[in-house]
Amino acid sequence: MILILLGPPGCGKGTQAKRLEESRGLVQLSTGDMLRAAVASGSEMGQQAKKVMDAGELMPDEIMIEIISERIDQPDCADGFILDGFPRTTPQAEALDKLLADKSLELGKVIELKVDEEALVERITGRYSCAKCGAGYHDKFQQPKQDGVCDVCGSTEFSRRSDDNEETVRSRLAAYNAQTAEIVPYYGAKGNLVEIDGMLDIEDVTVAIQGVIS
Ligand code: ADP
Ligand code: ADP
Ligand code: ZN
C-alpha cells in the first residue's frame, strides 16, 4: 500500500506516519527527516537544505524528486510506504505519478489532515523529539509518561528543530498555502483524496485513518 499524508506543517503527518508504520508495517518516508540527515552529514546538499529550511522555504523540486526516486527503490519499500512531506508542489506530484507508473506501482489514498492555522502554530512551537530514537512529543499534547524520559527508548535527551519557531512557522505556512495547497484538488480530481479532521486527539485521528485505509 502506498499512502500520502498531506497537510500543513504541524498537522500531525509525522505522528500518524509513525503510528501506521508500527500498526501496518509500512515504511515512513519523511523528506524532512531525510533533509535533516543531510544537514547533519554536512554534505553540500545539506548546507543548502539548512539555509532553505531555516528560511521556511522549499527545496528545489529536482532535488526532492531525485531523493524520493532513489529511496523508493530500496528493498524496505517493497511492501509499501507512507509519504510524509512529499509531494509538496504540483511538479513533485506529477513526477511522483510518473515514477510510480514507471515502476508499475499504484497510489492508494491521499489523506489530508485538516487543522486550524492557530492550532498549527501551537503544535509546532511545542514540538520536540527524542534525540536518540526520534519519537515525537509535545509540551502540552503529547508528554512522555515519565517526565524527561523517552517512552520508547528510555533516553533522557531531547531536541527541538531550529525551524520550529513562530517566525519560521509563519513562512512555512505561507509556503504551504502558496505552493502545496494546490495539490489537494490535484488528488481530489484523481479520486484518491480523503479528508480527515486533524483537530481530533492523536488517537482519534489514527482511528479515522485506519477506517479509510482498511
Ligand atoms: P507534521 O509532521 O505534520 O509537521 P507532527 O506529527 O510532527 O506534524 O505534529 C506536530 C506536533 O503536534 C507534535 O509535537 C505532535 O506531538 C503534536 N500533535 C500531532 N498530532 C496532534 C493532535 N491530533 N493533537 C494535538 N497535538 C498533536
Ligand atoms: P513539517 O513536519 O513541519 O511539515 P518537514 O519536516 O516535512 O516539515 O520539512 C521541513 C522542511 O524541509 C520544509 O520546511 C522544507 O524546507 C523542506 N522540505 C521537506 N520536504 C520537502 C519537499 N518535498 N519539497 C521541498 N522542500 C521540502
Ligand atoms: Zn527515544
Side-chain angles (χ1 to χ4, degrees):
M1 188 185 325
I2 299 172
L3 302 174
I4 297 177
L5 288 179
L6 189 58
C11 70
K13 301 181 297 293
T15 302
Q16 297 301 331
K18 286 204 171 67
R19 289 173 149 239
L20 287 169
E21 194 167 48
E22 271 169 36
S23 63
R24 294 275 170 155
L26 302 169
V27 188
Q28 174 196 14
L29 303 186
S30 159
T31 42
D33 286 348
M34 294 174 203
L35 292 173
R36 282 182 286 279
V39 172
S41 80
S43 68
E44 206 170 303
M45 195 271 282
Q47 292 172 27
Q48 178 188 3
K50 168 110 183 91
K51 286 191 198 127
V52 170
M53 291 164 94
D54 280 341
E57 292 167 1
L58 295 184
M59 284 290 278
D61 288 331
E62 314 79 73
I63 293 180
M64 301 314 301
I65 292 162
E66 180 69 29
I67 289 176
I68 279 294
S69 169
E70 281 177 15
R71 184 64 187 86
I72 64 183
D73 282 338
Q74 301 299 309
D76 63 336
C77 290
D79 292 333
F81 50 87
I82 309 157
L83 292 165
D84 160 12
F86 184 95
R88 255 178 160 96
T89 63
T90 302
Q92 290 181 20
E94 289 168 351
L96 177 66
D97 279 345
K98 188 166 181 309
L99 276 177
L100 295 179
D102 288 350
K103 298 176 205 290
S104 301
L105 294 171
E106 200 188 336
L107 178 62
K109 297 276 190 257
V110 176
I111 297 163
E112 183 197 11
L113 298 176
K114 300 199 75 133
V115 174
D116 300 345
E117 188 141 329
E118 285 319 304
L120 294 172
V121 175
E122 191 183 14
R123 284 188 189 183
I124 291 181
T125 52
R127 168 163 63 186
Y128 64 99
S129 61
C130 172
K132 197 171 158 204
C133 75
Y137 295 99
H138 190 279
D139 291 328
K140 201 162 133 189
F141 306 127
Q142 201 185 0
Q143 296 165 339
K145 290 190 187 78
Q146 192 186 335
D147 204 23
V149 181
C150 176
D151 294 342
V152 180
C153 76
S155 167
T156 52
E157 277 178 53
F158 296 88
S159 63
R160 286 178 196 262
R161 285 167 46 176
S162 62
D163 59 341
D164 277 352
N165 59 76
E166 177 142 9
E167 191 195 344
T168 309
V169 169
R170 299 281 174 197
S171 311
R172 285 155 62 197
L173 289 172
Y176 181 83
N177 292 327
Q179 290 164 277
T180 309
E182 67 193 35
I183 69 176
V184 174
Y186 176 89
Y187 288 115
K190 284 166 66 78
N192 302 67
L193 190 69
V194 186
E195 259 184 37
I196 289 199
D197 181 2
M199 295 295 288
L200 300 171
D201 286 347
I202 292 175
E203 174 61 20
D204 293 335
V205 175
T206 305
V207 170
I209 295 176
Q210 299 283 14
V212 303
I213 64 175
S214 58

